[in-house]
Amino acid sequence: MIDAEFRSEERFSRLSLAYKSDEEKQRVNYCVANIIKKHKKQPETYTTSISGGREVLVIEYHDDNNREAGSIFEEIIKALEITKCI
């Protein structure tokens, strides 16, 4: 199961996607890469390990004055069929 967490402050937005299996990792990375490359604004991304053998892909947009990241994050969440984002 892929978990999603969203955080936003002034001119900053972050979406974190946590997964456990290699299949989920491939699905998340493929989806995110394909959606991001369709947009002009490019984020910073990084992956980190968390407890329980899980990893998190973090997507961050800085200086997001026009709030473009919101629609990109919505597209990612919809494509991954995530029903709950905290």
Side-chain angles (χ1 to χ4, degrees):
M1 179 176 179
I2 301 168
D3 295 321
E5 181 180 61
F6 172 76
R7 182 171 178 207
S8 180
E9 296 177 11
E10 188 176 326
R11 297 176 26 188
F12 168 82
S13 298
R14 173 177 46 211
L15 179 64
S16 302
L17 301 167
Y19 48 84
K20 186 169 185 174
S21 71
D22 286 336
E23 180 181 310
E24 289 175 338
K25 179 179 183 174
Q26 290 175 352
R27 183 171 174 230
V28 166
N29 286 314
Y30 178 80
C31 176
V32 168
N34 283 324
I35 290 172
I36 287 174
K37 74 180 178 185
K38 295 188 316 186
H39 299 275
K40 290 180 184 178
K41 189 160 184 70
Q42 296 297 302
E44 291 181 29
T45 61
Y46 59 92
T47 303
T48 187
S49 296
I50 58 173
S51 63
R54 299 184 76 182
E55 289 185 351
V56 176
L57 173 63
V58 179
I59 308 155
E60 293 182 349
Y61 285 91
H62 300 272
D63 297 324
D64 188 20
N65 297 326
N66 297 324
R67 301 284 183 183
E68 297 171 55
S71 61
I72 297 169
F73 291 160
E74 286 179 18
E75 190 175 347
I76 291 168
I77 289 169
K78 187 175 182 179
L80 292 171
E81 300 173 343
I82 296 171
T83 57
K84 184 178 178 183
C85 180
I86 56 173

